[in-house]
Amino acid sequence: MTTLRFTKDHEWVRLDGDLAVVGITDYAQSQLGDVVYVELPEIGRRVEQGKEAAVVESVKAASEVYAPVSGEVAEVNEALAADPAMVNDDPMGDGWFLKLRIKDPKELDGLMDEAAYKRLVEEQS
Amino acid sequence: MTDWSRAVSTRPPADLAAPLETVTGNRGLQIEEGLIFEQGSPGRCGVDFADPPPFEARLGGLERQGAIGLPGLSEPQVVRHFTRLSQKNYAIDTGLYPLGSCTMKHNPRLNEKLARLPGFADVHPLQPVSTVPGALALIDTLAHWLKTLTGMPAVALSPGAGAHGELCGIMTIRAALEARGERRSRVLVPESAHGTNPATAAACGYTIDPVPGNPRGRVDLEVLQRKLGSDVAALMLTNPNTCGLFENEILDIAAAVHAAGAFFYCDGANFNAIVGRVRPADLGIDCMHLNLHKTFSTPHGGGGPGSGPVALAASLAPYAPLPWVVHGEDRLELAEHKVGPTEQAIGRLKGFHGQMGMFVRALAYMMSHGADGLRQVAEDAVLSANYLRARLDGDLSLSFAGPCMHEVLFDDRFLKDTGVTTLDFAKALVDEGYHPMTMYFPLVVHGALLIEPTETESKASLDQFTAVLKALVAAARSGDGARFHAAPRLTPRRRLDETAAARQPILRWRPESAHLQAVE
Amino acid sequence: MRYLPLTDPDRQEMLAAIGVDSIDALFADVPHQARLDGLLDLPRTMGELEVERAISAMASRNLAAGSVPLFIGGGAYRHHIPATVDHLIQRGEFLTSYTPYQPEISQGTLQYLFEFQTQVALLTGMEVANASLYDGATACAEAVMMANRLTRRGQAILSGGLHPHYREACETYARFVGFEVAAQAPAPSGGEDLAGLIGRDTSCVVVQNPDFFGEIRDYSEFAPICHEAGALLVVVVTEILSLGAIRPPGEMGADIVAAEGQSIGNALNFGGPHLGLFASRDKFVRQMPGRLVGETVDADGRRGWVLTLSTREQHIRRERATSNICTNSGLCALAFTIHLALLGETGLVRLARLNHAAAVRLAERLERIPGVQLLNQAFFNEFALRLPRPVAPVVEALAEKGVLAGIPISRLYPDRPALADVLLVAATEMVTEEDIDRLDRELREVLS
């Protein structure tokens, strides 16, 4: 069973061994509109929980994507360069942004589970 | 006698068929036009020169090899091409351009004539200064008008546009602080500010600290006072602000900023509302850029060129960028280096001396209006915006109660439950023959619509605009969604796919794309 | 007043509709102390005739280039602009239109900017160009800042052959934006060793070709040296017409080209408005400053154009923008596009040849004057001469005789006495045989 958690800024994180896969939620992509470009960090960069890890661009806006947990960037989704639409089409799967090698899995405890996130989205809509 | 007139019908047919599909894709006067690269012929040329007699080149063996790839067209083809292109553009000359904060006023043609006088247009910036006293006189005269209108003792004329002027202003502020031995790290910027403000401050290494507005649409003075501190370099304020409102607490704001040892920068984009009625210096402003292409009528030219002179208080004047036009013993001089009085100048911001062509136009405009005419400009601009406010309040949702200045801000509450967005509304306005108002700016209200008529619209023009907006609001409320979602339908192009343009940028023509054009 | 359509009856009606007695009520938010009750101390309104007289009087005090022989270059060049250009740019739909943010009603502007971007890319031999910047000097500063972003380094090396105004602009930006420039000393006779200066913090090396003294060099072997050291090569071109005759920067390995486009389509205008050109590689496009026009299709599938990649710009990114730039040089870019469309390949190459021929003829005449030495190995339409005495008074004396002989280097380098005897001379297609005779004769006389 993989752990799936959500942040209040509409990022999701899924634990896959010692790697945390990060992306933006379906609600986020629908608010953003057509994604045209994703600015991904360099491999090896250290990111802190709550700080900017990537930028996702639509035609009219550029939004920061904050790291849900702290860690070191191990992998980025290179396929997004050629096909940024994947973020819109499959935000929870193929539209993933990056994978972090994390030190402290306990950071996930402070994040929302799927049910709590669903409630947040309902409130905001 | 034969009655010839019976053979010819002089009335339109009673039955109008469906819109015509033409062979060319043209629609009457609206003509499809390809790229110049698709029309060229090798060897053809629209200019006639004789070849020079043979000579020995001295290009160091670095002659260009191979073709550049430029198309060859004759003069008639070029004239037709660009004429057709022009016919696809909306312009001030076409109709009202209610763009908030852009001040789309009439561009007088006298200005164009005077800017083209050989004594201005055909003069090299590096001619001996003794051969251009009239150019320096023009610059000095313009400076005098700007200083008088702003009440400030100095003005830097070299910045090439408004944003460049903002950069100039923030640089002089930093230079002044450094001369005081201070390094401050923050710049306060209202949340309603134009994007160039934070972009400029950030470019100069400052952290942006946003200041929210109060329920009356003005800067929240209490929050501002709390945020001020000894690490604040400046407040960047627009006045009237981007909601079209005069910052009535501005004297208190200025006092608070100065008490903290910071500088008061004013974005002068909205100067049209107060020119001749208020001097920025009297509001405590230290530094203000002006947009000659807004308040002073120099043409927007499809996006430029502009000119962004910066009026400076005495505390900032020593840091003005080079060159300065200075009063010498018996004539005007051009100070181009950091020597003596210009020692502390921040240096150059661009080549040569500034946007001379725009100076001539702006001065012609100012002289045409005079002190009385310019004051009337501000009054008519404010009157027209308030007239629209009074007539449209209730049809559109006014964001802030009470009088506005030269522009009026609405938000999209009036479109609630209609399924029509601000964008859709604006596109329907395009079908009605108008350029839309500024949309989605400022960011402090939802779905903003910012309308600035300017003083060069007749009352009839304002009344017609009002009528159209009222009719569109009624259409939106009555569920006529198609009018909006499919709009615009009557323009040279319908809504364009901006997503595709950003995902797969095609930023130039390439020879290989010729085959794609044929497929179309 | 002729530009104000509202009449007093209109104003009364409008005030009534608003529900106020006078216009002053609408200025109630202005603090009392700041209200101007009377008129400012400036002249009153003037009719067209009066304004014409006043401003023409100022214009007529200047010695315009059309009336005298002119040999001045130094980053702004006098060329013949076909009559068509000015007529077309004054069409109201071009002159008085706004930035093309509403593409459906701005296809004219967007299409010509797309053509402009293509022309600039072709001329410079680069992959992509933007829709113009203010001028060459600001384009140069923007190029350095772009190189800093791309390499994440903070030091730029500026060749001594870079136009001093461009160097000064870079120095101003460096001081306030927070990077370093290592500006090399000007060397009219060459001998600069830039390769040896490249270090681990070098983001770019900026060279100018032809350089400020008119010299033309081949940088194709220098480009790989920069790249191996992790730095970018920025090439500046101040006389864009030279690219009709010499190898373009793109073929020499340039990463960014920052140029001045005034020579094509635009008058001297005493230094402004001019036209900044900016070109680079496709892979760097997201770090480019300024506006970009891109091709797309509309709802009916027809080809059209839009402003694109706008998320680089200030109105979206605000403090994270690649630059704070808002305007481009719109109408100046249009003039360039039209003029270059008229010239075409054949015309541009021929015009460039005419320029070079005029300069060669002039150089041959002047280098025969006793004591005058040509410093260039190669040149396009501008070259440097060493005179047997300080140049500034010579140029002043020639101006009094009605010949605008060139630029004394001391005007731009007042603190380099070794350059006080160097004169920068340009010759374009506007220079006649009579002009050359005149300069030769007058210069000989002044020097004897």
Side-chain angles (χ1 to χ4, degrees), chain B residues 152-170:
Chain B
M152 315 274 261
V155 60
L157 285 168
S158 59
H164 212 211
E166 291 178 42
L167 197 62
C168 171
I170 297 299

Side-chain angles (χ1 to χ4, degrees), chain B residues 68 116 130 218 348 368 497, chain C residues 29 45 86 172 296 345 396:
Chain B
I68 304 166
R116 286 167 168 82
S130 59
R218 275 84 172 172
R348 290 186 158 278
S368 294
D497 190 345
Chain C
D29 276 328
T45 190
D86 207 34
T172 307
T296 184
E345 182 98 15
E396 200 66 42

Side-chain angles (χ1 to χ4, degrees), chain B residues 274-426:
Chain B
I274 58 175
V275 62
R277 284 202 59 125
V278 186
R279 287 181 309 184
D282 296 335
L283 300 174
I285 287 161
D286 299 310
C287 187
M288 180 170 110
H289 86 268
L290 295 149
N291 300 71
L292 296 188
H293 48 290
K294 293 187 181 185
T295 318
F296 299 107
S297 88
T298 73
H300 283 82
S307 176
V310 185
L312 298 166
S315 54
L316 295 173
Y319 310 102
L322 298 172
W324 299 5
V325 172
V326 293
H327 288 250
E329 247 176 58
D330 54 353
R331 62 174 200 182
L332 291 170
E333 310 275 354
L334 195 62
E336 297 181 282
H337 301 282
K338 296 183 196 176
V339 163
T342 48
E343 215 167 32
Q344 292 180 292
I346 58 175
R348 290 186 158 278
L349 282 174
K350 66 188 291 290
F352 306 122
H353 321 314
Q355 307 283 64
M356 182 68 175
M358 316 329 279
F359 298 161
V360 177
R361 291 171 170 90
L363 185 61
Y365 175 85
M366 288 175 189
M367 291 172 82
S368 294
H369 284 77
D372 48 338
L374 287 172
R375 190 180 167 99
Q376 190 69 61
V377 163
E379 291 179 1
D380 283 356
V382 169
L383 179 65
S384 297
N386 278 281
Y387 182 61
L388 291 180
R389 175 181 63 82
R391 303 274 324 272
L392 294 168
D393 187 8
D395 297 288
L396 287 83
S397 354
L398 191 61
S399 301
F400 298 102
C404 57
M405 298 299 287
H406 66 313
E407 59 192 3
V408 53
L409 179 63
F410 299 98
D411 53 65
D412 63 2
R413 281 172 291 151
F414 73 102
L415 291 171
K416 190 167 142 72
D417 298 326
T418 61
V420 175
T421 63
T422 289
L423 182 71
D424 295 330
F425 191 81

Side-chain angles (χ1 to χ4, degrees), chain C residues 37 257 270 432:
Chain C
D37 293 317
V257 175
F270 197 55
T432 63

Side-chain angles (χ1 to χ4, degrees), chain B residues 90-106:
Chain B
Y90 191 89
I92 297 175
D93 284 0
T94 312
L96 168 63
Y97 238 114
L99 283 171
S101 280
C102 293
T103 311
M104 302 298 289
K105 64 173 72 184
H106 170 69

Side-chain angles (χ1 to χ4, degrees), chain A residues 37 39 52 57-58 62 64, chain C residues 152 286 311 316-317 320:
Chain A
Y37 185 72
E39 197 183 295
E52 184 198 305
E57 293 182 18
S58 65
E64 278 97 31
Chain C
R152 295 186 215 252
R286 289 198 137 80
T311 46
I316 291 176
R317 279 294 193 131
R320 306 174 92 98

Side-chain angles (χ1 to χ4, degrees), chain C residues 70-87:
Chain C
L70 179 122
F71 299 93
I72 306 178
Y77 300 89
R78 184 166 189 260
H79 293 288
H80 185 260
I81 304 171
T84 305
V85 175
D86 207 34
H87 275 277

